[in-house]
Amino acid sequence: MGIQWYPGHMAKARRVVSESAALADVILEVLDARVPYSSRNPDIDVILGQRPRLIVLNKADLADPAETEAWTNHLRELGWPAGPVDATSGRGVQAIVSAARGLMARKWEELEEQARAQGRTVRKRSVKALVVGIPNVGKSSLINRLGGEKHARVGAIPGITTGKQWVRVSKEFALMDVPGILWPKFEDQDVGYKLAMVGAIREEVLDPEPVAGRLLAFLLTHRPSLLAERYQLRRPPADWEAGLHEIARRRGYLLPGARVDSYKAAILILQEFRKGLLGRITLETVAEFGDRFRPRTGDSR
Ligand code: G4P
């Protein structure tokens, strides 16, 4: 978290990721399972081209399991190998490694065929993978999970990727120890709010009240019972502002003059949402955002 993106940083990040990707056989693109569309770099297809790529829906422990399953199926139907992961507990990571090796199996066959035609032999080496994604999506956690804590460096900044190393995960699989860091679609306001809700954008950048307000509006429309349960609301509030005030009152967040401290309530709601205390919630459904993912074309499917 905390990277300020300027055109110079973006150009540099793009170059660094492209250079790292050129050394890898397969890319693990990490998205946040709660906001698969908003957590995706807008130029990823151009930056990485046809290189074999697997989509990791991370933080699946915080997302609605039914929605994550729908996203996984949808992405697979579009030709993107994909799978849910919880990098904190390690759930799903072995399936990702198997899928990455499966992706490479076809490439090895092609290489072997070419070599045979030329009277050569190829020696199979381990599959090399690069982890990429926007800040705070869980790239370092995934590398730590796969390679062991001692190998991964947390908090890398764009452009600083000297001394790349391969972390051996198994005999057949290795990971680059430094992830590729890409920028989000921050020019889209709706995306900015959602990234702020999930904690991928620094709090100081955005006022918590409208961010929490948008989250409340979403919950009032889609999951009203979650709010009522968590904050013991007697009936669903009419709108997000009423909700914020009601939650502040229930929690005793009062200011002098019998006013409610809605700012404090906003921070509470965001913190609790991010920790999963409101429930497992996905903000972007396949029905609404599924068609924003282009089908994977070309022979690396
Ligand atoms: P990055 O390299 O992509 O920038 O992300 P990083 O791994 O540093 O993870 C960002 C935050 O997300 C960390 O929390 C990390 O623990 C959390 N995280 C990563 N993967 C998962 C996951 O699958 N599930 C859940 N629930 N959380 C995940 P943090 O609050 O910044 O740090 P910390 O409290 O863990 O120290």
Side-chain angles (χ1 to χ4, degrees), residues 1 58-62 85-88 134-142 154 179:
M1 234 197 304
N58 192 39
K59 308 202 184 185
D61 55 312
L62 299 172
V85 160
D86 167 4
T88 313
I134 67 165
N136 211 38
V137 79
K139 300 178 296 299
S140 305
S141 304
L142 181 65
V154 183

Side-chain angles (χ1 to χ4, degrees), residues 151-194:
H151 297 291
R153 297 169 210 168
V154 183
I157 55 171
I160 312 292
T161 52
T162 48
K164 290 184 198 97
Q165 286 175 22
W166 296 98
V167 177
R168 184 156 293 287
V169 174
S170 69
K171 220 171 95 202
E172 299 99 0
F173 195 79
L175 268 184
M176 196 178 282
D177 70 344
V178 178
I181 303 172
L182 290 166
W183 60 95
K185 295 178 257 269
F186 48 67
E187 68 285 356
D188 178 333
Q189 208 193 35
D190 188 53
V191 167
Y193 274 108
K194 278 191 243 163

Side-chain angles (χ1 to χ4, degrees), residues 17 20-21 24 26-28 128-132 166 175-176 178-180:
V17 170
S20 300
V26 55
I27 311 293
L28 305 184
K128 294 202 277 185
L130 170 71
V131 174
V132 305
W166 296 98
L175 268 184
M176 196 178 282
V178 178

